[in-house]
Amino acid sequence: MPVVAAFAVPHPPLIIPAVGRGRERGIQATIDSYDEVGRRIAKLAPDTIVVSSPHATLYRDYFHISPGRGASGSFAQYGAREAAYRVDYDEEFADALAQACEKAGVSGGTDYEREPALDHATMIPVHFIQKYYTDFELVRIGLSGFNAGEHYRMGRLVQRVAAKLGRRVVYVASGDLSHKLTADGPYGFAPEGPVFDERITDDFARGDLLDVLCMDTSLAERAAECGLRSFQMMAGALDRTAVSAELLSYEGPFGVGYGVAAFEPAGEEGADESRDLLARWEAWRAGDLATRKEAEDPYVRLARASLEAYVREGRTIRPPAGLPDELIGYRAGCFVSLKVDGQLRGCIGTIAPTRASLAEEICANAISAGTRDPRFEPVMADELDELVYDVDVLGGPEPVDSLDDLDPARYGVIVSCGGRRGLLLPDLDGVDTVDEQVRIAARKGGIDLARDRYRLERFEVVRHL
């Protein structure tokens, strides 16, 4: 049994006594559970511990595996330089995992390291493990912007390399749950926060790692979690393996959710085809995309038809007959947004109408969103079936005199200074406050809020899905 156990753990810096200075007693249940994890790992006596960390080197399109013989780190940035840690890396495992990535077509390896020092999301589990057990080497893996399936594939490669090298491996998935549980917490409150935490902890308690893979990315984004992709990679390390699951603790007294869970193989590794969660996730994802496509309204169907004709055939379409009157006989600015697995893939729009009809506006902006957004490479034909579209039709902008007149859930905002202008749509995942909304819009327009004389406008949208 190469992967002998897996644990999901949080990483609040104040859990380290030198940082918390007594405040750590407010999460005593988490401390007790972490100690239990340390004791269990010592009993299992693994050769290698693999940690996936949200705060290690992270790229949108690459899983970074920390290279070299080892690394050190401390909590100096938290005023506790004395809390310092050193680990030796399992170089053979890291190199074999990088080779396995290349062979499997998974974008990952030991290149492009930006920061060799240990991050706090790695040091905190190391702190508790080293209290009870030190005879191990570590492999540290950063997360990526890839979808749940790619994170699962990366975890599955961990399982396969462990088997190939004959290592006894414990997998540790470092990650906090929602950061938006209470209004007086450091990140404020979002109603999705408690919903996300209840669902994840229920999944942990039941060992339902498929549901972890199928988690709504919009819910996760609005909950402001940082552990989901780490848990999804952990699920891959238990591929085709029945598990005994246990939620050791959950609490969130400081407005951030901390969950500790244990997963131990309950059968032969790789032998339980009902636990081929990747195949089941792919089937779920295909069904979800098909359901979304069937439910698209005429606005979204028009955007999809326009971009698909342009990418596949290199032609621009004219709005077809039979469209609703509000598309043909009405002019308005609009934005077309494209997403893949909840991640933005392109967004372009017009603040005011530039075409003879809203239908023509949508057709043009859909092509621009897919091929001319400077943040992304143009959409390729093999991506088209995976795209999810939003079409936002803008109402007329109106000036506002105060931030009190804004509401990021209801109004979009335009920040202007001279000929510079930045716009942000309303009701976006991860944008919960007026200050965030205005700051992002200003940055998009190259406007310095501290120095420039700027003006604000707000607008409403009708969002079509």
Side-chain angles (χ1 to χ4, degrees), residues 9-16 19 34 51-57 72-78 83 85 115-128 140 172 174-176 179 187 226 256 258:
V9 296
H11 48 251
L14 63 79
I15 203 170
I16 304 298
V19 176
Y34 240 132
V51 175
S52 52
S53 167
H55 298 286
T57 298
S72 302
S74 78
F75 284 87
Q77 69 181 97
Y78 297 96
Y85 304 87
E115 175 52 67
L118 295 176
D119 61 283
H120 76 274
T122 300
M123 289 189 289
I124 290 170
V126 164
H127 168 86
F128 285 96
R140 179 172 62 148
V172 176
S174 181
D176 293 337
H179 288 63
Y187 305 96
C226 74
V256 180
Y258 306 133

Side-chain angles (χ1 to χ4, degrees), residues 2-9 37 41 46 48-53 139 141-143 151 154-156 158-159 168-174 229-238 261 263:
V3 178
V4 295
F7 299 93
V9 296
V37 169
I41 290 176
T48 302
I49 295 175
V50 177
V51 175
S52 52
S53 167
V139 174
I141 308 173
L143 309 182
H151 283 82
M154 187 65 185
R156 189 169 62 179
V158 169
Q159 182 193 64
R168 286 175 56 81
V169 169
V170 164
Y171 192 101
V172 176
S174 181
R229 288 170 292 171
S230 188
F231 308 146
Q232 291 167 343
M233 198 185 298
M234 176 191 71
L238 298 168
F263 306 88

Side-chain angles (χ1 to χ4, degrees), residues 101 110 120 184 191 206 211 257 265 291 303 309 314 362 379 398 406 422-423:
C101 287
T110 56
H120 76 274
D184 59 353
R206 294 184 295 109
D211 193 60
T291 299
I362 291 171
V379 168
E398 57 183 14
L406 297 175
L423 175 147

